[in-house]
Amino acid sequence: MNVVGSIPTEDEEFTVAYVDKATCRKVQVWPVPEDLENWHEVDFDPQAEYMGKWYNPDSGSWFSDTEVERLKVVAARKRAYATTTDPLFMEWQYDQTPESKAAWVEAVAKVKLDFPFKQQ
């Protein structure tokens, strides 16, 4: 349950959004506004899709399916770079040999092939 002035727990799921009555442009999920008489309460399912977009409560943003897929690819690439290419880059920076540079460039190309961005 969302209570004015309370801090949400990590596993708390919000089911109400508040839209300001003055402009109907400002939306907030947390914290619960103290002046509830100036806000519309809108029930929503955080897991549901609205107008082709998904709500991310961590960032407070809405994403389309293509944006969600792009973010997944970005996250996968970051993980792959950190575990595969970054050590090879540091090795190349240390010894500056053409072989170590080629190994790093090859690893970067492989990550890009393994986690491609779809063409729009």
Side-chain angles (χ1 to χ4, degrees), residues 20-94:
D20 75 316
K21 289 181 179 179
T23 65
C24 290
R25 291 181 184 223
K26 184 176 180 186
V27 177
Q28 83 183 49
V29 176
W30 187 88
V32 176
E34 292 185 16
D35 57 340
L36 283 175
E37 66 276 359
N38 296 321
W39 295 81
H40 295 289
E41 286 188 28
V42 180
D43 295 328
F44 75 96
D45 176 2
Q47 306 302 317
E49 177 183 343
Y50 291 99
M51 298 179 65
K53 296 198 174 204
W54 299 89
Y55 180 71
N56 179 345
D58 297 328
S59 66
S61 302
W62 291 87
F63 296 99
S64 67
D65 286 342
T66 55
E67 289 170 308
V68 169
E69 289 304 313
R70 186 186 65 76
L71 291 173
K72 286 180 184 177
V73 171
V74 168
R77 275 192 179 190
K78 284 182 179 181
R79 285 190 303 274
Y81 286 141
T83 59
T84 309
T85 65
D86 290 356
L88 292 172
F89 177 78
M90 295 307 291
E91 182 180 327
W92 170 55
Q93 290 295 298
Y94 178 74

